Amino acid sequence: MTDEISITGIRATGFHGVYDHERRDGQEFVADVVLSLSFAAAAASDDVADTVHYGEVAERVAAILAGDPVDLIETVADRIATAVLTGWPLVDAVTITVHKPAAPIPVPFGDVAVTVRRSRA
């Protein structure tokens, strides 16, 4: 059985993009994170040490969103997934969605997002 922790709407200003103005001016990026793990130990102990501290995960995600610039949000999503699986051994799998709501698209749109799913297997 797998349980999930969801953290949605993590925001940070980043400088990702293929265009010079994106790298120069930056823009807001938003990430949603779903962590798959068992809650059995945490439910039995009622101790945060037996689960994943979602505040710490959110801080790490925001740091990556605001971190070293890359061209693609696909790369940002993969960096977040790798960081979560590396940093929190209780997490069996992770789903990361990175949104770029101010993407330079010349027509009206609501959002642009990419999603990656990674697991320890």
Side-chain angles (χ1 to χ4, degrees):
M1 181 173 86
T2 299
D3 305 306
E4 293 182 341
I5 296 172
S6 297
I7 313 166
T8 60
I10 302 166
R11 290 168 162 52
T13 299
F15 296 85
H16 314 292
V18 297
Y19 298 113
D20 290 340
H21 70 275
E22 293 179 291
R23 294 289 185 107
R24 181 188 64 238
D25 303 335
Q27 61 189 284
E28 183 178 68
F29 292 85
V30 181
D32 302 325
V33 176
V34 178
L35 311 172
S36 298
L37 64 148
S38 173
F39 293 166
S45 69
D46 196 33
D47 188 341
V48 71
D50 291 328
T51 189
V52 173
H53 190 302
Y54 47 79
E56 293 174 357
V57 173
E59 288 176 353
R60 182 71 179 114
V61 170
I64 294 168
L65 290 174
D68 292 335
V70 295
D71 288 346
L72 303 176
I73 58 174
E74 290 88 333
T75 304
V76 176
D78 185 70
R79 284 182 176 179
I80 294 169
T82 299
V84 170
L85 289 174
T86 302
W88 288 272
L90 292 176
V91 175
D92 297 319
V94 64
T95 301
I96 307 295
T97 301
V98 174
H99 304 262
K100 189 174 180 179
I105 298 174
V107 297
F109 72 100
D111 190 20
V112 172
V114 300
T115 301
V116 299
R117 293 173 185 84
R118 302 287 186 266
S119 64
R120 293 196 182 281

